[in-house]
Amino acid sequence: MSDPDVERPPSRSQSPLPPAWFEFLLDPSLLCKHLSSENPDPSASQLIVQFLDQATRTTVNDQNQIQPPADNKRNRALRHLALQAAAFLRWDLNQLEASLSNHHTNLLLNELLRVARSPTDVKHTDIDLASIPDYTTVALVLYHRWAIRVVVSSSFPVKPVRTFPNNMLGNSQAASELAEALLKVLRDQLPDSVCILENCVALGRPLHLPSVESLGDPEEGVHEGGLLVSAEDITCQVQYDLGTLYFHQHEYQKALKAFTSSYQLIKELRDPIFCKIDTSKLDGYLSACQGLAGIAPSVKPASLFDEVEQSRKNNYQGVVDLLVRDNLTAQVPTSYRHFLQQELEKKTRKEDRLQETWLQVCCCNAVCDVVQGRPVQPSFTHLIPHLSQDMVHFLLKVCKQSIHGRDQRQHSRMVDFIGHVFRHMGGSVVLESVLETSRDLLTAQELESIRKQYIPQQTAIPTYTGERPQTSIGSRQQQQSDLEQALMQTLNPKTIQRLVIELHGMATDSAYCVPFHKWEMPRDYVLFLRDHHNTVGSVTHDVMYLILAKALHCSAMEDFPAARTLLSHGVEQVRALSFRLGAIVHNELLLLDITAHARRGDGRKVSQDLVQRVKNQLSTRIPDVPVRKELYENMAAFLLNIREFEYLFQSRNTVGVYKNSYLWLSHLIASVSKDLPMLKSFRQPGRELWDFVVSVFSDSTQYKRGNDGKAMAMQRDLAAAPLTRTEFLDFLKNIQDPVCLSLMISCLAKVLNILQDDSNKDISNDYAALWPQGLGNHKNATVSKDSVTLVLRELLGHALSINPGRPSWLKTQADLNYAFEEWSSAMRKMVAFHHPWPRPTYMTAHVPPSCRPVLCSAAVLPAGWDGLQ
């Protein structure tokens, strides 16, 4: 029987399963078809590992002796398939080293030497490269290039080796010993490798690189032909590899000569096949060798990167113009541009004057991503709705300046990007004027297409001009009273705006934002609107107050369509007036959509747009914009309910997650849930979640003994402010995923078992092995047993309302009722899931005599339950 907790959501795509390794063995032509497809799964490097692992599998005979892999037709065919997969990569050692271990690369290149018929009876240094076929020369060059690269890379510092459980310790030691033995062999033959590569440089003629076709049949071996590589292409790469070895051996003069040769050749190469050199590393090596060899480096003009760095030091003066120039030249690394953007974002929290520069840098980086064919970052997509009209004009100006006139691919990507911007902005009033400025960039057909697709026809919204409307028949007080009454009753945003304009026309010194007590708002929002009163004006201030307050009231009454209409109108009202006020309205729209999804109760059927909006909100923080804790609470529960466990787990180092209790708790739950059911014992993720839960129910002060033996207070150092017990329970009631619910029920039940300290009243739970046997860091704190019991009861009631027939929850509920001597409720729950009743001897000592016959009958009932069925 499968455990319901370990059920995972079905795959979102209906694509067929990736082919297994033996399918390529059965159909040799399948490999070419598979690797020729776009983004093959498994990739060429993954297939190489699979083929080599299968070809080198050892066997155990009847005497329990390990036998080496047999040299039969099957294993030869598998090794041949591995060579063909490597040929698809054009024998690129950069890719092979990144995806294969040294062990697998050694097996692959030795197999290439074997099929290339490399002489085995003589040393490689005695072989005349000019007298052997091209495929043998290439095999020797590839092997010895890899050998010196391994020796050089072994001198670099690496991360410490991960520790393994006891049952895997032997395998890790064997792998380590095998790697050390291989490295020793390569170091011993290092002079031979240098000799072979120097002879290759002296050879100075083009060579044929073995291809899939030239590898031939597994039984015949490689033959002449393949991909022709120029002598300059080969020499450039070999000289670079030799230079890295000379540099490693502190022979800087020889290294300088090798790097200089490679530097001169790489400038002449066009579309190299064999040479795969990182030019920035080559420049670094060359500069280092010149300095170490006492040669003055050649004076170069200041690069664009240097100019950007100098601008950064001068408080970002002219940095935007430099980034626009770099969109055409691509001299500044992408990582540095992102660093610049993040640094500016942090500084805008202290200096408002840098906010416009930060937004312009965001626009430049987004256009750079489009020009270079990268997807737009989610953080920029999140900013688009908040851009003012002037900033959108600037964005289109950068688009025009950043594309080459005749590059159709760039133009096509830019058209898609502009459509992406318009899609996320909405609103014909602003966008129509913006679209007019893009005529130099888009054709008439493209303009019309965007206009029809993204700019719906809407009627203009009246604005307040400051003139008082003409009074009709009746007193002014009666009209004002009628307008205020209509204002309280309407939910139409345009009507709200019209009524506020008329009321301000009658009495401009009054505010009409709080005429009804149900329209109360969070204090942070009230203070924010008050601070921005002068920026948006009196009318817009009152209109936005009423729209936000009425939307919150509608959301509380679960009238989600009305709330969404109000907030959508609010977005259009403040788009060009206040960037931060627009962010508040967008946050409320996001909270509304999350709440509406939770109320629908449609499980994991959630739009990817909503998921992406939640992730964008978590990854982007706009300075000085208040965010309600309800938004964080619902976002955290939402991601748990759709089982985005891996995303929440990876968010550990995000500052916003670490400082927010709801997000931190969801991260801890996801860290444990993602490894269930493999996580069978108490480990670090369980410890952190345990400490968090216990801290909710304990006091804020613990005690430890000082050097003098006296007790002294010790405050708990928590990552985020701890949740109150009410907030903790409210958050748990937002969770609907059975895995997360079972995990938290198990944790609370374990805490209660420790507090009760009575084995006869232990409450069963699914994951008891995950938790410690004591309170750990909180053993000296006062933990409220009553509060734990109350939260566990409420959580069980919430869980059973979602799935009333889940056996593990019913069992926990029955044990909880039994532990608190609620015999009737315990009996009903135990019968409901067919759980054996506790021993009658214990019960008869703890229950009234009148109940004992009933309890004894209940104790007998489960024994005959199968027969009754």
Side-chain angles (χ1 to χ4, degrees):
M1 181 181 296
S2 62
D3 185 355
D5 282 353
V6 301
E7 295 176 359
R8 290 291 183 265
S11 174
R12 293 173 183 162
S13 63
Q14 300 299 324
S15 57
L17 293 174
W21 62 269
F22 57 82
E23 296 183 48
F24 300 99
L25 193 61
L26 298 173
D27 182 8
S29 63
L30 178 62
L31 183 65
C32 293
K33 299 176 184 177
H34 174 74
L35 294 180
S36 299
S37 62
E38 184 178 0
N39 298 323
D41 181 23
S43 63
S45 56
Q46 291 171 334
L47 286 175
I48 292 173
V49 174
Q50 294 181 25
F51 293 147
L52 292 177
D53 284 344
Q54 293 298 325
T56 57
R57 287 180 60 184
T58 58
T59 58
V60 180
N61 60 14
D62 297 338
Q63 289 77 32
N64 202 25
Q65 297 175 337
I66 298 178
Q67 301 295 317
D71 186 16
N72 52 30
K73 186 176 181 180
R74 169 189 175 276
N75 290 344
R76 287 194 295 272
L78 285 169
R79 294 195 297 266
H80 186 76
L81 287 171
L83 293 177
Q84 288 184 320
F88 260 95
L89 300 177
R90 293 186 175 181
W91 306 99
D92 185 356
L93 290 185
N94 292 335
Q95 292 191 48
L96 293 177
E97 290 172 347
S99 307
L100 275 63
S101 65
N102 288 340
H103 171 67
H104 287 103
T105 310
N106 183 50
L107 292 175
L108 179 72
L109 296 180
N110 273 290
E111 178 64 15
L112 179 63
L113 288 172
R114 188 189 68 81
V115 300
R117 294 181 284 276
S118 173
T120 57
D121 54 347
V122 295
K123 291 183 62 176
H124 287 175
T125 53
D126 297 334
I127 299 174
D128 182 9
L129 298 183
S131 62
I132 58 176
D134 281 3
Y135 50 78
T136 307
T137 303
V138 170
L140 289 168
V141 170
L142 284 172
Y143 177 81
H144 290 287
R145 274 187 57 216
W146 169 76
I148 67 172
R149 287 162 70 110
V150 171
V151 173
V152 172
S153 62
S154 67
S155 64
F156 299 151
V158 295
K159 291 183 179 180
V161 178
R162 179 183 174 185
T163 57
F164 291 87
N166 291 333
N167 60 342
M168 298 179 63
L169 189 58
N171 293 336
S172 66
Q173 287 180 345
S176 177
E177 292 173 359
L178 184 63
E180 287 295 331
L182 176 60
L183 185 59
K184 184 178 184 304
V185 171
L186 297 179
R187 284 173 176 163
D188 292 341
Q189 68 179 21
L190 191 59
D192 295 347
S193 299
V194 174
C195 181
I196 288 291
L197 295 182
E198 289 177 343
N199 291 341
C200 174
V201 171
L203 185 63
R205 66 177 176 87
L207 298 172
H208 286 85
L209 200 65
S211 62
V212 177
E213 295 78 12
S214 66
L215 286 173
D217 186 82
E219 303 299 329
E220 296 177 359
V222 67
H223 51 74
E224 292 288 352
L227 195 61
L228 183 62
V229 183
S230 67
E232 293 78 10
D233 196 348
I234 296 173
T235 302
C236 181
Q237 179 64 63
V238 173
Q239 287 280 45
Y240 176 81
D241 290 330
L242 284 172
T244 58
L245 177 65
Y246 295 146
F247 190 89
H248 167 70
Q249 295 175 336
H250 308 292
E251 298 181 11
Y252 301 120
Q253 291 289 353
K254 297 176 69 175
L256 176 61
K257 182 179 178 181
F259 286 132
T260 302
S261 173
S262 180
Y263 182 79
Q264 293 171 350
L265 289 171
I266 200 170
K267 294 188 294 185
E268 302 173 1
L269 293 178
R270 296 293 181 269
D271 299 325
I273 298 173
F274 193 75
C275 180
K276 304 293 181 183
I277 297 176
D278 185 343
T279 54
S280 61
K281 285 187 178 181
L282 177 58
D283 290 339
Y285 272 125
L286 194 58
S287 299
C289 288
Q290 289 172 341
L292 292 168
I295 301 175
S298 56
V299 179
K300 299 180 181 178
S303 64
L304 194 55
F305 174 81
D306 297 331
E307 294 183 46
V308 174
E309 178 62 19
Q310 187 62 36
S311 171
R312 171 175 168 265
K313 295 177 181 178
N314 294 332
N315 206 16
Y316 308 99
Q317 294 181 5
V319 69
V320 175
D321 295 334
L322 294 173
L323 292 179
V324 172
R325 282 172 49 197
D326 183 66
N327 286 349
L328 289 172
T329 59
Q331 296 180 26
V332 180
T334 305
S335 58
Y336 181 80
R337 295 180 67 128
H338 289 163
F339 159 74
L340 203 65
Q341 177 179 329
Q342 293 171 0
E343 184 181 55
L344 271 168
E345 180 182 2
K346 293 178 181 178
K347 290 189 176 182
T348 54
R349 301 170 189 172
K350 301 179 180 178
E351 303 179 50
D352 289 340
R353 62 186 181 83
L354 289 176
Q355 179 177 330
E356 183 177 359
T357 304
W358 168 57
L359 290 173
Q360 289 177 341
V361 170
C362 291
C363 293
C364 292
N365 286 350
V367 174
C368 178
D369 290 337
V370 174
V371 169
Q372 297 183 16
R374 294 189 297 270
V376 180
Q377 295 294 321
S379 56
F380 182 76
T381 302
H382 183 66
L383 284 177
I384 291 175
H386 311 298
L387 297 180
S388 65
Q389 185 170 353
D390 291 339
M391 193 58 63
V392 177
H393 282 295
F394 171 79
L395 178 62
L396 291 177
K397 177 182 175 183
V398 175
C399 291
K400 283 188 256 184
Q401 296 175 349
S402 301
I403 62 173
H404 300 280
R406 298 181 180 180
D407 194 329
Q408 291 300 320
R409 290 183 301 175
Q410 284 189 1
H411 180 80
S412 177
R413 290 197 295 264
M414 200 62 71
V415 172
D416 293 339
F417 172 67
I418 294 174
H420 176 78
V421 172
F422 276 62
R423 184 187 310 118
H424 287 81
M425 288 191 67
S428 60
V429 177
V430 175
L431 296 185
E432 183 63 46
S433 62
V434 171
L435 193 60
E436 291 298 320
T437 64
S438 58
R439 291 186 175 277
D440 297 339
L441 182 62
L442 305 176
T443 64
Q445 183 178 1
E446 291 166 346
L447 281 170
E448 189 61 28
S449 174
I450 291 179
R451 179 177 286 107
K452 290 180 179 179
Q453 188 171 1
Y454 301 115
I455 307 184
Q457 298 300 319
Q458 298 179 353
T459 58
I461 300 175
T463 57
Y464 175 56
T465 61
E467 299 180 0
R468 299 191 178 190
Q470 297 294 327
T471 58
S472 57
I473 300 175
S475 66
R476 180 180 297 276
Q477 291 80 4
Q478 182 62 40
Q479 293 180 36
Q480 184 172 337
S481 177
D482 292 342
L483 290 176
E484 290 178 355
Q485 185 68 24
L487 188 61
M488 285 192 293
Q489 295 176 354
T490 184
L491 291 176
N492 187 303
K494 294 183 180 179
T495 303
I496 292 173
Q497 182 164 8
R498 179 178 58 80
L499 292 173
V500 171
I501 291 174
E502 292 186 19
L503 286 168
H504 272 269
M506 292 182 175
T508 56
D509 56 343
S510 300
Y512 295 95
C513 57
V514 286
F516 189 47
H517 72 280
K518 288 289 187 181
W519 299 347
E520 296 177 358
M521 278 206 305
R523 178 175 176 81
D524 289 342
Y525 284 4
V526 176
L527 295 177
F528 182 88
L529 285 170
R530 184 184 303 168
D531 294 340
H532 288 72
H533 183 279
N534 296 331
T535 303
V536 298
S538 298
V539 174
T540 304
H541 171 271
D542 289 355
V543 170
M544 289 307 302
Y545 189 107
L546 291 169
I547 284 177
L548 280 171
K550 282 176 174 278
L552 292 175
H553 181 61
C554 291
S555 179
M557 301 298 294
E558 298 191 7
D559 187 359
F560 300 124
R564 184 174 288 103
T565 301
L566 287 164
L567 293 174
S568 299
H569 179 85
V571 171
E572 304 304 327
Q573 277 293 101
V574 299
R575 181 185 304 282
L577 297 177
S578 175
F579 170 77
R580 292 184 170 87
L581 183 54
I584 288 179
V585 183
H586 274 280
N587 289 346
E588 290 301 325
L589 271 171
L590 177 59
L591 178 58
L592 180 69
D593 290 340
I594 295 174
T595 307
H597 168 74
R599 294 295 186 274
R600 287 197 302 269
D602 52 1
R604 304 186 190 108
K605 296 179 181 178
V606 57
S607 68
Q608 289 304 302
D609 177 66
L610 179 57
V611 177
Q612 192 59 50
R613 285 167 59 198
V614 171
K615 293 181 179 179
N616 290 346
Q617 177 65 32
L618 291 177
S619 62
T620 306
R621 184 186 180 279
I622 301 175
D624 302 327
V625 174
V627 181
R628 292 202 292 151
K629 69 181 183 66
E630 288 83 356
L631 178 59
Y632 286 121
E633 177 183 357
N634 282 271
M635 287 193 300
F638 171 79
L639 292 174
L640 287 175
N641 289 334
I642 63 173
R643 298 195 176 185
E644 286 283 351
F645 296 152
E646 192 63 34
Y647 174 82
L648 287 170
F649 173 72
Q650 296 296 337
S651 67
R652 180 183 184 92
N653 295 324
T654 303
V655 174
V657 172
Y658 190 66
K659 293 296 184 183
N660 184 276
S661 294
Y662 292 113
L663 299 178
W664 184 247
L665 176 56
S666 66
H667 159 76
L668 297 178
I669 294 175
S671 299
V672 182
S673 299
K674 76 182 187 69
D675 290 329
L676 292 176
M678 289 79 73
L679 198 61
K680 295 295 186 182
S681 61
F682 171 56
R683 293 186 183 174
Q684 184 63 24
R687 160 64 73 183
E688 293 184 0
L689 178 57
W690 174 268
D691 288 341
F692 187 99
V693 171
V694 175
S695 70
V696 173
F697 299 99
S698 63
D699 57 10
S700 60
T701 305
Q702 300 176 24
Y703 297 89
K704 65 177 182 179
R705 294 286 176 183
N707 295 330
D708 56 356
K710 296 181 180 180
M712 58 183 182
M714 179 181 64
Q715 298 293 328
R716 284 182 286 114
D717 183 16
L718 296 178
L723 296 174
T724 65
R725 292 160 194 176
T726 302
E727 292 172 338
F728 180 67
L729 178 58
D730 291 342
F731 175 74
L732 295 183
K733 286 185 175 181
N734 284 330
I735 299 176
Q736 299 177 359
D737 181 72
V739 174
C740 300
L741 286 173
S742 292
L743 183 68
M744 296 310 296
I745 289 172
S746 172
C747 183
L748 291 169
K750 184 67 175 181
V751 174
L752 189 55
N753 287 341
I754 293 174
L755 294 176
Q756 290 185 136
D757 196 19
D758 186 351
S759 59
N760 290 320
K761 294 184 179 182
D762 271 358
I763 300 170
S764 62
N765 57 87
D766 291 337
Y767 306 113
L770 291 179
W771 318 115
Q773 299 303 314
L775 296 180
N777 296 332
H778 306 271
K779 62 183 178 181
N780 295 327
T782 303
V783 180
S784 174
K785 174 184 173 183
D786 293 338
S787 298
V788 176
T789 304
L790 175 62
V791 172
L792 179 56
R793 286 182 184 275
E794 293 288 332
L795 182 57
L796 280 169
H798 166 67
L800 290 172
S801 69
I802 297 174
N803 187 354
R806 191 179 183 88
S808 61
W809 297 346
L810 287 169
K811 182 179 179 182
T812 303
Q813 180 71 70
D815 287 347
L816 182 63
N817 292 335
Y818 177 79
F820 287 89
E821 300 183 359
E822 299 167 359
W823 314 114
S824 177
S825 298
M827 183 176 67
R828 284 196 299 269
K829 294 295 188 298
M830 289 183 178
V831 172
F833 69 89
H834 182 201
H835 176 59
W837 188 263
R839 297 189 303 276
T841 54
Y842 174 79
M843 290 181 298
T844 54
H846 292 80
V847 301
S850 59
C851 297
R852 293 176 187 175
V854 179
L855 297 177
C856 291
S857 299
V860 175
L861 177 61
W865 188 261
D866 293 335
L868 293 175
Q869 288 291 91

